[in-house]
């Protein structure tokens, strides 16, 4: 669809007509899906790079900054670095405001450009301080994908495709994780951790295609034409919308804390486990990368299957409860039982797809559900705030695990304790609205 066609839709159609006008957006849904999916995939790639290079990167950067590269320092500084990344991610609620104010496409382009450039800059960092600054700015860019990409897709496809394509959108993240795992297995041994980060600057090229080939959301164009007032964040916390906003933000907080306090540490856990068993540094690094690759297959299965899951279980809240409970049980089983009690490495590697299915796959539910909770004028702002608020508190998770691991002398014990956050998340489900079977809000 040309830009002029989209503009005519925005200028001449009523809001209600846009909701039903499949003809107006025929031909563009899969182009928009491809664009949003590519952004999500490259986001996942740049996001995942760090978990594979934490040990070699800090082994080099800590001495360069006057600190010893001990196991305890790597655990604590590694967790702190990821928390700094997540704080940058949390500040990305700014992109939700931009997407509602200036459009979904400009916001997406800006976020992709920023996270690409600063991921590459991480590969040039001379010390811990500069590395931390670049990680913060990378997170600031990566966080904008949710705020711009998910609303763009939901507002640009016919209603009969919306649930399916929105659920599949999150498959981009595990595919990005898979590609990062492959890169860690192939690029890292040859070009080192700096080369892997420099490879992460490639997504910047996507912004050229986005600006030239992808149309703006017709719903956003119509809302801009008919609504004179600018979106204001305070409107998210007024009346019935306040309950929705806080319910969404609370659920996302628990999911993010749980995810990045558990799966984030898997390559490091496998690496240190293998080193303790006498493996060489190269062999241990290889197994850590392989563990991330195995887990990504489970995540991909959860994301691909989500459109069918939400149809088989016709309530968003029930699906959320199933996944929150699944996250808790799989974490306690993997870390508390298999690692701590049984100490069975092969069995732990076998259950990694189950961990990926629940702890990462659950986010595909929210690419469907979260944009449904907010009207068009505040969809990016509401989605961005809910996810970013979760990142603010979620930033404490990796630091807490790193500190607990240093204190307990055990990653799995620390992860098991922090994973109890899923119990709190199950409680917050009741605050969210039930949107299954309803059309996207106008």
């Amino acid at each position: 669809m040309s830009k002029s066609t989209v503009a005519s839709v925005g200028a001449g159609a009523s809001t209600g007509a846009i909701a039903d006008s499949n003809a107006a957006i025929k031909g563009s849904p899969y182009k928009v899906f491809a664009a949003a999916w590519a952004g999500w995939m490259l986001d996942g790639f740049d996001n995942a790079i760090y978990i594979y290079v934490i040990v070699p990167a800090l082994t080099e950067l800590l001495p360069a900054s006057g600190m010893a590269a001990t196991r305890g320092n790597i655990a604590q500084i590694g967790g702190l670095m990821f928390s700094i990344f997540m704080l940058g991610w949390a500040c990305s609620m700014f992109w939700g405001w931009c997407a509602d104010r200036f459009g979904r496409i400009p916001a997406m382009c800006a976020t992709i450009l920023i996270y690409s450039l600063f991921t590459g800059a991480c590969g040039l960092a001379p010390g811990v301080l500069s590395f931390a600054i670049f990680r913060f700015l990378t997170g600031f860019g990566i966080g904008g994908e949710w705020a711009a990409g998910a609303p763009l897709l939901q507002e640009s496809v016919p209603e009969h495709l919306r649930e399916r394509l929105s659920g599949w959108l999150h498959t981009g993240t595990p595919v990005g994780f898979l590609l990062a795992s492959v890169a860690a297995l192939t690029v890292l041994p040859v070009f080192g951790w700096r080369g892997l980060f420099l490879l992460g600057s490639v997504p910047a090229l996507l912004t050229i295609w986005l600006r030239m080939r992808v149309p703006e959301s017709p719903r956003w164009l119509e809302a801009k034409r008919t609504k004179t007032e600018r979106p204001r964040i305070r409107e998210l916390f007024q009346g019935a919308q306040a309950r929705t906003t806080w319910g969404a933000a609370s659920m996302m907080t628990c999911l993010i804390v749980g995810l990045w306090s558990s799966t984030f540490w898997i390559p490091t856990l496998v690496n240190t486990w293998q080193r303790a068993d006498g493996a060489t540094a190269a062999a241990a690094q290889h197994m850590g990368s392989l563990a991330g690759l195995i887990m990504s297959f489970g995540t991909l299965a959860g994301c691909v299957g989500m459109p069918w899951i939400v149809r088989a279980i016709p309530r968003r809240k029930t699906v959320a409860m199933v996944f929150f409970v699944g996250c808790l049980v799989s974490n306690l089983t993997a870390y508390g039982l298999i690692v701590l009690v049984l100490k069975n490495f092969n069995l732990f590697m076998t259950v990694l797809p189950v961990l990926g299915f629940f702890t990462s796959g659950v986010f595909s539910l929210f690419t469907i559900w979260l944009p449904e909770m907010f009207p068009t004028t505040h969809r990016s702002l509401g989605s961005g705030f809910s996810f970013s608020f979760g990142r603010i508190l979620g930033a404490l998770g990796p630091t807490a695990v790193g500190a607990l691991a240093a204190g307990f002398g055990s990653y799995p014990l620390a992860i098991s304790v922090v994973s109890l956050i899923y119990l709190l998340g199950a409680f917050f489900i009741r605050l969210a609205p039930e949107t299954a079977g309803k059309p996207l809000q106008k």
Side-chain angles (χ1 to χ4, degrees):
M1 179 184 293
S2 67
K3 293 183 180 179
S4 60
T5 304
V6 175
S8 66
V9 171
S14 67
T15 306
I18 287 178
D20 300 321
S21 181
N22 292 349
I25 56 178
K26 184 177 180 181
S28 69
Y30 293 104
K31 181 189 291 184
V32 175
F33 173 77
W37 187 91
W40 229 268
M41 181 269 292
L42 295 169
D43 174 323
F45 179 84
D46 279 15
N47 193 358
I49 287 174
Y50 177 71
I51 68 176
Y52 297 110
V53 302
I54 179 174
V55 174
L58 291 182
T59 298
E60 178 180 334
L61 292 175
L62 285 173
S65 300
M67 291 178 278
T70 64
R71 179 177 175 181
N73 282 345
I74 289 175
Q76 289 185 296
I77 301 300
L80 178 61
M81 286 293 174
F82 197 80
S83 293
I84 289 171
F85 168 82
M86 291 186 71
L87 285 174
W89 209 357
C91 293
S92 64
M93 65 177 71
F94 165 77
W95 296 116
W97 178 84
C98 287
D100 282 336
R101 175 80 184 279
F102 303 110
R104 314 315 194 199
I105 295 296
M108 273 192 69
C109 289
T111 62
I112 293 170
L113 186 62
I114 288 173
Y115 78 65
S116 300
L117 293 179
F118 285 104
T119 296
C122 288
L124 303 175
V128 171
L129 178 59
S130 58
F131 188 72
I133 294 171
F134 295 149
R135 289 298 295 165
F136 176 87
L137 293 170
T138 300
F140 178 64
I142 283 180
E145 282 294 311
W146 266 88
L152 172 67
L153 178 63
Q154 291 227 8
E155 294 168 358
S156 302
V157 303
E159 189 63 33
H160 72 280
L161 291 175
R162 183 177 61 80
E163 189 175 79
R164 185 188 316 161
L165 294 182
S166 297
W168 286 344
L169 176 60
H170 200 70
T171 62
T173 298
V175 170
F177 285 1
L178 282 168
L179 291 177
S181 302
V182 172
L185 289 168
T186 56
V187 176
L188 185 60
V190 179
F191 297 100
W193 65 271
R194 293 184 183 275
L196 196 56
F197 273 122
L198 290 172
L199 181 63
S201 63
V202 172
L205 299 175
L206 177 64
T207 60
I208 300 173
W209 183 74
L210 279 171
R211 289 300 294 165
M212 295 179 61
R213 304 293 298 172
V214 180
E216 184 56 85
S217 156
R219 281 180 178 264
W220 180 83
L221 290 171
E222 174 65 12
K224 181 182 179 183
R225 187 183 70 85
T226 59
K227 189 173 177 64
T228 57
E229 294 184 3
R230 299 172 181 175
R232 301 178 187 278
I233 193 169
R234 69 168 179 265
E235 294 171 357
L236 295 174
F237 308 99
Q238 296 174 345
Q241 190 64 56
R243 178 185 174 98
T244 294
T245 301
W246 286 118
S250 299
M251 286 191 295
M252 300 313 299
T253 297
C254 295
L255 288 174
I256 292 168
V257 171
L259 174 69
W260 294 112
S261 297
S262 58
T263 57
F264 163 71
W265 291 101
I266 284 176
T268 303
L269 171 63
V270 170
N271 190 324
T272 54
W273 193 347
Q274 289 293 285
R275 290 287 285 161
D277 285 347
T280 64
Q285 180 67 51
H286 177 85
M287 290 303 298
S289 300
L290 183 61
L293 181 65
I294 292 171
M295 185 178 63
S296 294
F297 284 111
T299 301
L300 186 59
C303 294
V304 170
M306 190 58 71
W308 286 280
I309 294 172
V310 297
R311 290 190 179 187
I313 306 175
R315 278 178 55 83
R316 304 283 192 254
K317 292 187 177 185
T318 305
V319 177
M321 183 63 73
V322 168
F323 272 83
F324 270 96
V325 172
C327 289
L328 176 62
V329 172
S330 59
N331 265 328
L332 293 179
T333 299
Y335 298 106
L337 177 62
I338 296 175
V339 179
L340 276 177
V341 179
L342 301 179
K343 297 180 173 57
N344 190 319
F345 178 79
N346 291 331
L347 184 57
F348 178 72
M349 295 289 281
T350 301
V351 301
L352 288 179
V354 179
L355 274 174
F357 180 88
F358 284 108
T359 62
S360 296
V362 64
F363 286 90
S364 60
L365 168 64
F366 286 88
T367 57
I368 300 172
W369 194 13
L370 202 59
E372 293 176 345
M373 299 182 190
F374 301 94
T376 299
T377 54
H378 290 74
R379 182 162 292 121
S380 288
L381 188 59
S383 298
F385 172 81
S386 300
F387 214 97
S388 296
F389 181 83
R391 291 162 182 153
I392 294 173
L393 298 182
L396 301 175
T399 299
V401 170
L404 288 172
F408 295 158
S410 170
Y411 282 113
L413 179 57
I415 293 169
S416 298
V417 171
V418 176
S419 66
L420 296 175
I421 192 73
Y422 288 115
L423 288 176
L424 186 60
F427 171 79
F428 288 127
I429 292 172
R430 66 187 184 89
L431 297 178
E434 182 54 67
T435 60
K438 300 176 183 179
L440 191 66
Q441 290 189 59
K442 297 178 181 177

